[in-house]
Amino acid sequence: ALPTAFLGFRCSRASHECARHSRSPSKAMLLLYTCVGHTLPPRALRGAAHGAAYARPLDLGAAYARPLVLRAAQPPLLLLDEESGDINDGGISSVNWVTVDASGPDVEPTEEEGTSVMPLFPLGAAYLPHTTPVLNIFEPRYRAMYNDILFNGARRFMVTNVEPETGALAEVGVVFYLDELKEVSEQTQDRVKYIGQHRVINRVRLRRVLNPSVVATRDTYLKAEVEVLSDSDQQEEGKPDEGLAAEEAAAEELFVSLVDAQKSLGEEPRFTDAVKGSLSFARGTSPSDRGLWGTIGLWQQFLEQRTQVLGQKMQREIQSGVASYLSDNSLREDLVNARGEIRLQDLPPELIAEIEAIQRRYRGEVDALDGEPGSLRFQALLQSDSHRQRLALFCTWLRKEQKRLATRKSLQSLFSSGDAKGEGEGGAPDDKS
């Protein structure tokens, strides 16, 4: 069964298989890892608090004597270029980063007005306000952090994105407020200590890291001085901005037109008509009234589903190619372990080349869709100074998708007319001839 958050989508059943195993990747592009038949986000390989890699057998049936698993080396073998050609598009270039000098001295907070000190948890993702994230806590330093915020009653900490290449921290992050903490040491053989349920209650700016030395030692968690942010266009109560209301209405009309276009083209996955009644482009105030943040979250989930559909298609094609190869060739028995597993780099070069070609083709499809769910575009939205700026940036994404759908519709019409013409030319000869 799909989580409730996905009920706004229509999606083929095959694409559901990966939904429970992955979240949005944290890079400006999606990396495809052929390790276990899943499309895994980079954070699953960096040991984030909630990342995990899952293995699934690749059953080749009669083509091989026993089930075979393609398993990557440690670290996983990357077969794709990590550079994205549109890195400066969609607001990504505007994202501000803070570099932490691990050799620098620990410092005291400035105690300036409007600032506060709290733990800092870098998580490699842009979490959106008014969401309710769940984290699995297993690292000793973060076990200690949770013990501390419970003991002092604060129950809150800053979560910020991480630049995957440099390790720099996003200047703007969010505050997690801990609602519920369950100890699961016994059930998980101490692999996971806590499962925490949180609310994202504020956007904050990272003013300074107070104990940068622990970046290198990892002895304990980071502490930061932060500043709570509010929208620069926040209106006084009772004084609505009529111009902004018109912009919100135009954005909703644009989104609804996309839903209709997806339906007419038979897109998979796509939004259902039911989602039209739940859209909001207002500012948002709480988890029960998320406003534009809720609609942005819905869009992010749609991108996840669409990427997973492509990942599933890619894996099925790879499996088919491997099965076809093994129907005419054999593998060295010493390379296959007792569990029927083989490392990816131990496959024959010609088979690796075929897998790489399939991956490159699907990578091109992901790039063409311009819809990677873990893109730094979401970090750019989080950093936006105003609701109006956020709304305008989101609308640029929607218009780009609208243009893509219009192009696809034109191509469909072109091919349909070409097929009809071909049938007419190849029909029965005229009786008079």
Side-chain angles (χ1 to χ4, degrees):
L2 281 176
T4 304
F6 291 109
L7 295 182
F9 304 113
R10 185 183 186 282
C11 183
S12 62
R13 184 175 182 83
S15 68
H16 295 168
E17 297 175 14
C18 287
R20 65 184 184 279
H21 292 328
S22 64
R23 282 287 302 154
S24 18
S26 57
K27 291 197 174 187
M29 55 154 286
L30 184 70
L31 298 177
L32 301 179
Y33 298 83
T34 302
C35 60
V36 290
H38 279 83
T39 300
L40 297 178
R43 106 171 108 204
L45 309 173
R46 294 205 307 269
H50 53 299
Y54 294 79
R56 182 164 59 91
L58 174 58
D59 191 350
L60 301 177
Y64 198 70
R66 56 180 182 268
L68 179 71
V69 173
L70 299 183
R71 186 177 298 280
Q74 295 297 324
L77 179 66
L78 304 187
L79 301 178
L80 295 173
D81 188 356
E82 297 186 22
E83 295 182 0
S84 173
D86 61 350
I87 190 67
N88 292 319
D89 188 29
I92 291 176
S93 59
S94 68
V95 173
N96 296 329
W97 301 98
V98 175
T99 301
V100 180
D101 182 4
S103 64
D106 292 354
V107 296
E108 295 296 322
T110 63
E111 298 183 353
E112 294 178 5
E113 184 178 355
T115 65
S116 60
V117 174
M118 63 181 64
L120 174 60
F121 197 162
L123 271 180
Y127 287 89
L128 304 180
H130 312 312
T131 53
T132 54
V134 176
L135 300 182
N136 297 331
I137 308 303
F138 52 85
E139 285 193 58
R141 53 179 171 162
Y142 294 119
R143 296 183 184 195
M145 184 192 80
Y146 275 85
N147 290 336
D148 289 347
I149 64 174
L150 285 173
F151 182 76
N152 62 29
R155 303 181 75 92
R156 64 192 69 198
F157 53 93
M158 178 184 180
V159 170
T160 193
N161 209 337
V162 181
E163 209 293 316
E165 301 302 328
T166 66
L169 305 178
E171 182 185 42
V172 175
V174 294
V175 175
F176 275 36
Y177 183 88
L178 177 63
D179 283 321
E180 184 179 0
L181 191 67
K182 294 181 180 179
E183 182 165 350
V184 293
S185 302
E186 185 175 344
Q187 299 94 309
T188 64
Q189 290 74 52
D190 205 39
R191 289 192 299 271
V192 176
K193 174 69 171 177
Y194 298 124
I195 295 179
Q197 177 73 51
H198 312 78
R199 281 177 287 149
V200 178
I201 58 174
N202 282 313
R203 293 185 306 123
V204 289
R205 175 174 285 113
L206 175 61
R207 295 288 296 272
R208 65 179 61 196
V209 175
L210 302 179
N211 56 342
S213 60
V214 305
V215 170
T217 66
R218 302 170 71 91
D219 291 336
T220 186
Y221 56 89
L222 294 170
K223 295 180 182 178
E225 186 173 34
V226 307
E227 172 190 6
V228 175
L229 299 176
S230 57
D231 288 344
S232 60
D233 57 354
Q234 185 80 46
Q235 295 292 309
E236 295 182 19
E237 190 173 352
K239 295 183 178 180
D241 185 333
E242 294 182 1
L244 184 58
E247 292 173 32
E248 292 170 351
E252 182 171 2
E253 183 178 349
L254 176 59
F255 199 112
V256 169
S257 72
L258 283 180
V259 175
D260 292 337
Q262 287 181 340
K263 183 178 179 179
S264 66
L265 290 169
E267 288 275 294
E268 287 284 355
R270 63 176 180 265
F271 290 102
T272 65
D273 286 336
V275 80
K276 297 178 183 178
S278 63
L279 297 174
S280 174
F281 289 82
R283 194 177 304 274
T285 58
S286 68
S288 61
D289 177 26
R290 296 177 61 194
L292 176 61
W293 288 116
T295 302
I296 292 170
L298 192 65
W299 182 256
Q300 188 178 45
Q301 291 171 359
F302 163 69
L303 296 183
E304 290 175 353
Q305 287 282 356
R306 187 165 67 179
T307 303
Q308 288 162 7
V309 167
L310 283 174
Q312 285 290 310
K313 289 180 178 178
M314 181 193 72
Q315 293 300 337
R316 287 195 294 271
E317 188 169 340
I318 289 174
Q319 290 172 2
S320 176
V322 172
S324 176
Y325 178 89
L326 292 180
S327 66
D328 299 320
N329 303 274
S330 60
L331 297 175
R332 285 170 44 193
E333 286 292 330
D334 61 309
L335 297 179
V336 182
N337 66 24
R339 296 187 300 273
E341 299 170 348
I342 184 171
R343 295 186 306 170
L344 186 61
Q345 68 266 35
D346 289 336
L347 291 174
E350 61 270 26
L351 186 53
I352 292 179
E354 182 179 347
I355 292 173
E356 289 177 338
I358 293 171
Q359 287 189 308
R360 282 193 295 270
R361 179 156 45 80
Y362 277 94
R363 174 68 260 171
E365 288 191 42
V366 173
D367 288 341
L369 289 172
D370 195 27
E372 195 272 302
S375 169
L376 290 176
R377 291 174 180 82
F378 293 94
Q379 180 64 40
L381 283 175
L382 196 62
Q383 184 181 289
S384 298
D385 291 330
S386 68
H387 176 62
R388 177 176 268 112
Q389 183 184 23
R390 200 171 300 123
L391 188 67
L393 186 56
F394 184 48
C395 283
T396 62
W397 304 357
L398 299 182
R399 292 190 190 97
K400 192 165 188 177
E401 178 68 7
Q402 186 181 52
K403 184 177 180 180
R404 185 190 73 83
L405 293 174
T407 301
R408 186 184 170 196
K409 184 176 181 179
S410 297
L411 290 173
Q412 274 191 358
S413 300
L414 179 64
F415 289 130
S416 296
S417 61
D419 291 342
K421 182 179 180 181
E423 291 174 3
E425 292 175 350
D430 194 321
D431 289 340
K432 297 180 180 180
S433 61

